[in-house]
Amino acid sequence: MLGGGTDSSAITMEWALTELIRHPKIMKRAQEELDTIVGMTRPVLPSDLPNLPYLQAIIKENFRLHPALPLGVPHFNSEDVQILNYNIPANTTVFVNIWAIGRDPKVWKKPLEFDPDRFSNSNIKLGGSSYSLLPFGSGRRRCPGLDLAQLMVQYSLATILHAFDWFAQPGIKPEDMNMMETFGAICPKAQPLVAIAKPRLSSQVYNQLT
Amino acid sequence: MEYVFNFWFLVVGAISVLLSFAWLIPKGTSQPPGPPNWPIVGSLFYLSKLPHRSLELLAKKYGPIMYMRLGYLNHIVISNAEMALEVLKIHDADFASRPSSIIGKYAGFEYSDVVFSPYGDNWRLLRKICATELLTQARLKTFESGRQEEVARMVEKIAKYNQEGKVMKLRPIFHELTNNNICRMLFGKYREISDSFLKKEFDELVDCVIEMGEVGGKFNISDLIPILKPFDVQGLERQMKHISNRATNSLSIILNEYRNGNKMVADSTVTDFVETLLSHDGKLDERSIMGVLAVCTHHYNPFILTRCVCNIPSMFINVVLCI
């Protein structure tokens, strides 16, 4: 767990914040939602999270485009299996290309666009019951840390969006930010995000946090 | 006449040969489509440095279920929601095992953790403990104040960068947050804590997980071409074994202290994961306990081919030299 719960959540947060810096209108809308639900006089509390549907949609959209494990963790069959008309011999390694499924143009309109609104009025869930969005896999081998990961990503993203305005580093236009990934066991941004934060709350609120 | 006889003899012969093959092969035996397989390497050459992208392009040509041989091993690659449902729901139990790999052996403590463990009783028990005791909503709630403290520390750090007018790299900041948070859940303790009890062992363990991630994230040719395994041409197995031994030593010391009633943070009122896992002492073997605590995110991945394809010739040279 020390390994599993660390890197994947951290790079997911990095991807999400990068997408929001690239899309200032979406960041602003998320902050307006936070200001309405949380207000400007106290920090975000974990109990606020279920009341932030737009933030949740941003997180789903981020998982759709940037799953931490684009090919999941390999599955394996110890006996022959018949799928549709195909025979899969025993001892075959199975990869589910989660990354490609999240960008399938037959399922997702304008698949390369970062558009959290595609999840408003949709009942697509992250837990593995919607097969077009599988950041945690599905079935009995689904990621056991799913709830923890969602909690961490939601709570920390909500807090840093509520507490700060975020900008790309000087000299780089938001729309020119490099969005390529590198491939390893997990898939982080190839160029680590460098950004500037400006506080947006009064100093009393920051004091309440610490 | 003789020719006619020979002709029919050949036709009947040919049909019976074909039929006997058809009879030998069970129904629906066709293999999913896929790119051509070359000797030894199979389809490795069709993959780029970003294999998920190469596989997406291949799937456009060969379809949502593809067969590929990588090295000597059979692989299938699933690329749309319908086929994912077929594999992960309808055939969930059939495909619930894990392939063997050196990362599963060393980072997964001989395949005994919840991620790398093959489908079977040990995995079922681990999965049950994770799902009903460790990672439930109620249990996660008990760590809420710890999470809040960690997020507050992160905000403080970001504010400090701003005061100093500096741009900041976010990845290390996020990484520290998630790492501290997990450590608090496992041991009730995070890295910077001043308390020095078991500090050496704890720091060693965190280092091992990071190092294992670095080594384990590398592509291991012997996983795909098992004949190379005894030669450990890249030296990865040796490195992993060393890291795994160090992690095992540290964890043994930590677990023994817990068994003697000494928690990592003596005054902590929150039940940490080590305590929960040790309550299953006897049912869970030592390796599984260690595996659950340490398991590395850098899952086995035969697609880490960045270095692989260009390195194949030099690896063979190494093998020849070894012999």
Side-chain angles (χ1 to χ4, degrees):
Chain A
M1 281 192 204
L2 196 48
T6 304
D7 275 7
S8 41
S9 297
I11 66 152
T12 298
M13 285 154 59
E14 187 187 31
W15 276 117
L17 186 59
T18 310
E19 287 289 8
L20 292 173
I21 292 173
R22 279 180 81 212
H23 300 93
K25 280 184 192 156
I26 297 175
M27 175 158 16
K28 193 151 185 288
R29 221 175 114 188
Q31 288 171 328
E32 281 164 6
E33 182 184 66
L34 283 157
D35 295 344
T36 312
I37 303 295
V38 181
M40 307 283 277
T41 55
R42 66 167 177 87
V44 180
L45 294 172
S47 55
D48 293 318
L49 299 176
N51 307 323
L52 300 165
Y54 192 64
L55 182 88
Q56 316 247 13
I58 288 172
I59 289 168
K60 281 183 188 168
E61 182 66 342
N62 186 60
F63 273 127
R64 181 182 73 80
L65 283 171
H66 310 292
L69 289 122
L71 296 170
V73 186
H75 289 244
F76 192 74
N77 57 324
S78 28
E79 281 165 34
D80 288 7
V81 183
Q82 189 89 24
I83 296 188
L84 305 175
N85 287 324
Y86 300 120
N87 180 49
I88 312 297
N91 306 323
T92 297
T93 299
V94 181
F95 277 91
V96 177
N97 194 342
I98 293 165
W99 188 90
I101 291 173
R103 294 169 183 234
D104 185 350
K106 289 186 188 125
V107 176
W108 305 101
K109 277 183 204 153
K110 296 187 183 167
L112 301 184
E113 222 164 81
F114 189 85
D115 176 18
D117 278 327
R118 66 175 89 236
F119 290 105
S120 56
N121 305 321
S122 102
N123 46 17
I124 292 180
K125 295 193 175 72
L126 288 171
S129 56
S130 311
Y131 291 84
S132 49
L133 185 67
L134 293 167
F136 298 98
S138 178
R140 53 197 84 193
R141 281 289 187 167
R142 189 183 73 166
C143 169
L146 158 102
D147 289 332
L148 173 63
Q150 289 195 67
L151 205 55
M152 265 326 269
V153 173
Q154 286 177 13
Y155 181 48
S156 42
L157 203 60
T159 303
I160 59 172
L161 288 176
H162 185 236
F164 302 101
D165 281 318
W166 291 90
F167 305 94
Q169 68 185 116
I172 295 196
K173 287 186 203 152
E175 61 271 26
D176 293 342
M177 292 170 87
N178 185 327
M179 296 303 280
M180 282 308 283
E181 68 279 12
T182 51
F183 191 88
I186 55 166
C187 246
K189 258 186 108 247
Q191 283 184 8
L193 170 64
V194 179
I196 295 175
K198 297 256 181 275
R200 56 190 299 278
L201 305 172
S202 71
S203 57
Q204 287 142 326
V205 185
Y206 295 94
N207 292 339
Q208 281 179 50
L209 260 168
T210 45
Chain B
M1 193 65 189
E2 213 174 309
Y3 288 113
V4 174
F5 174 77
N6 277 350
F7 172 75
W8 284 111
F9 182 77
L10 277 175
V11 168
V12 171
I15 290 172
S16 57
V17 166
L18 284 175
L19 280 176
S20 67
F21 273 115
W23 178 76
L24 276 173
I25 302 166
K27 273 181 193 166
T29 43
S30 61
Q31 200 178 47
N37 288 307
W38 300 91
I40 300 169
V41 290
S43 310
L44 280 177
F45 287 116
Y46 294 92
L47 302 175
S48 69
K49 287 180 181 179
L50 297 171
H52 49 290
R53 289 181 184 251
S54 321
L55 291 172
E56 186 197 34
L57 290 176
L58 286 171
K60 284 197 175 123
K61 188 166 176 194
Y62 297 104
I65 176 166
M66 274 190 297
Y67 169 80
M68 294 175 92
R69 189 165 52 74
L70 299 175
Y72 279 105
L73 306 180
N74 293 325
H75 287 72
I76 58 169
V77 182
I78 299 300
S79 306
N80 74 6
E82 289 79 42
M83 290 311 303
L85 180 134
E86 199 68 43
V87 165
L88 299 175
K89 187 172 185 183
I90 298 169
H91 292 283
D92 185 12
D94 297 330
F95 290 108
S97 210
R98 295 285 192 221
S100 62
S101 59
I102 61 163
I103 181 83
K105 187 169 179 198
Y106 295 108
F109 291 79
E110 296 282 339
Y111 313 103
S112 18
D113 75 289
V114 72
V115 174
F116 296 106
S117 184
Y119 190 49
D121 290 341
N122 187 58
W123 172 80
R124 261 185 221 103
L125 178 60
L126 288 171
R127 175 77 187 189
K128 196 176 146 211
I129 294 171
C130 284
T132 61
E133 295 178 47
L134 299 178
L135 295 163
T136 60
Q137 296 277 5
R139 187 71 189 272
L140 294 177
K141 183 99 182 150
T142 66
F143 298 105
E144 193 170 271
S145 64
R147 254 191 317 274
Q148 282 178 279
E149 263 178 62
E150 290 303 329
V151 169
R153 276 150 54 88
M154 174 177 72
V155 169
E156 205 178 343
K157 194 176 284 174
I158 294 171
K160 203 170 152 216
Y161 271 102
N162 174 61
Q163 275 165 7
E164 292 167 359
K166 286 187 197 158
V167 294
M168 67 192 107
K169 277 195 182 167
L170 274 303
R171 198 180 297 170
I173 297 177
F174 292 156
H175 196 270
E176 193 185 316
L177 167 77
T178 51
N179 192 46
N180 281 347
N181 184 59
I182 290 281
C183 285
R184 289 176 89 123
M185 295 169 70
L186 298 177
F187 305 105
K189 166 170 184 157
Y190 55 93
R191 204 158 192 184
E192 289 80 10
I193 205 163
S194 52
D195 178 355
S196 63
F197 180 59
L198 292 176
K199 184 168 171 53
K200 201 176 107 233
E201 289 73 20
F202 178 70
D203 285 351
E204 173 87 337
L205 179 64
V206 177
D207 287 341
C208 285
V209 169
I210 295 168
E211 283 170 44
M212 190 62 100
E214 283 161 9
V215 181
K218 289 184 183 149
F219 168 72
N220 177 33
I221 190 81
S222 316
D223 279 340
L224 293 181
I225 307 180
I227 199 169
L228 297 179
K229 201 167 181 319
F231 306 107
D232 188 23
V233 279
Q234 295 153 285
L236 294 177
E237 184 152 5
R238 210 167 42 245
Q239 289 177 48
M240 284 191 197
K241 205 171 182 171
H242 178 62
I243 300 169
S244 178
N245 287 343
R246 281 163 50 211
T248 306
N249 285 341
S250 301
L251 274 168
S252 297
I253 297 170
I254 294 172
L255 293 180
N256 282 338
E257 286 295 342
Y258 268 81
R259 287 196 178 99
N260 294 332
N262 303 319
K263 286 177 76 162
M264 193 96 89
V265 181
D267 55 357
S268 167
T269 50
V270 180
T271 312
D272 61 38
F273 282 11
V274 178
E275 289 175 277
T276 309
L277 288 167
L278 285 177
S279 72
H280 295 277
D281 233 353
K283 266 189 291 172
L284 272 181
D285 65 23
E286 195 82 351
R287 282 198 312 240
S288 301
I289 296 178
M290 292 184 180
V292 172
L293 291 171
V295 69
C296 179
T297 187
H298 295 261
H299 306 295
Y300 155 68
N301 211 329
F303 289 111
I304 303 167
L305 301 163
T306 333
R307 289 133 294 195
C308 156
V309 175
C310 20
N311 279 356
I312 286 177
S314 68
M315 281 172 190
F316 279 109
I317 292 169
N318 284 341
V319 174
V320 172
L321 289 177
C322 285
I323 299 168

